[in-house]
Amino acid sequence: MAFELPALPYAYDALGPFMSAETLEFHHDKHHQAYVTNGNNLLKDSGLEGLSLEEVVKQSYGKNAGLFNNAGQHYNHIHFWNWMKKDGGGKKIPGRLEAAIASDLGGYDKFKADFIAAGTTQFGSGWAWLSVKDGKLEISKTPNGENPLVHGASPILGVDVWEHSYYIDYRNARPKYLEAFVDSLINWDYVAEMYEAATK
């Protein structure tokens, strides 16, 4: 199946002032489009053409770096757009997920501190994650386009810490961007949907 660029689930200016229309235009229309275009070119004759995106990511890992990088970033970004919404963030978390954050991660405040720390300490480009592994929530970070799928986990929330995700709005203040993401942008309903799917 060919990779396709999904439409944003909101207007370019919907996430202001925490993420600008300019950032979303460049990030979605240019960067994500490039992962789709390059991924489709690299998918041809790879032997993985008929697989789901998740399987392309898993099976190209460690074997086909170019395809893995672009497929991984395509997967990450499809969800990244949905992990954000206008008036999101904060402690408005659906009950079962909230209970899991309390039992597995020590509660919302500790989750927030540890998630922001993961994003802040990811050297260079990469992502910070909340995932389900062996039935439990865990926080991790990965370089470049890598994601928890290739480490036996199911990502349910991720934040992009490549500079193109925040530099227009926050310059080099990555921790401020991460705080704004957690406090004001997370779409907890979408995270909860992915949590339910990962814990079936």
Side-chain angles (χ1 to χ4, degrees), residues 69-137:
N69 289 337
N70 286 279
Q73 283 288 72
H74 180 42
Y75 174 90
N76 296 351
H77 282 81
I78 285 172
H79 295 293
F80 184 58
W81 311 129
N82 287 293
W83 280 323
M84 299 183 289
K85 70 174 185 178
K86 183 178 175 60
D87 301 323
K91 298 183 179 181
K92 306 180 286 281
I93 306 171
R96 195 163 161 261
L97 177 58
E98 186 178 34
I101 288 172
S103 62
D104 298 348
L105 302 176
Y108 174 83
D109 291 339
K110 188 162 188 326
F111 151 76
K112 177 181 170 179
D114 291 349
F115 187 74
I116 289 173
T120 301
T121 58
Q122 171 53 44
F123 184 75
S125 300
W127 293 73
W129 301 99
L130 176 64
S131 305
V132 176
K133 187 168 187 180
D134 302 324
K136 297 264 189 193
L137 292 177

Side-chain angles (χ1 to χ4, degrees), residues 8 43-44 51 54-55 58 70 85-86 116 119 124 127 132 135 139 145 147 151 156 159 166 172 175 182 185 194:
L8 283 176
L43 191 60
K44 286 175 196 154
L51 301 178
E54 288 88 342
E55 284 303 314
K58 290 178 191 173
N70 286 279
K85 70 174 185 178
K86 183 178 175 60
I116 289 173
W127 293 73
V132 176
I139 291 169
N147 64 44
H151 301 293
I156 64 169
V159 62
Y166 62 88
N172 62 326
V182 175
L185 291 176
M194 294 193 80

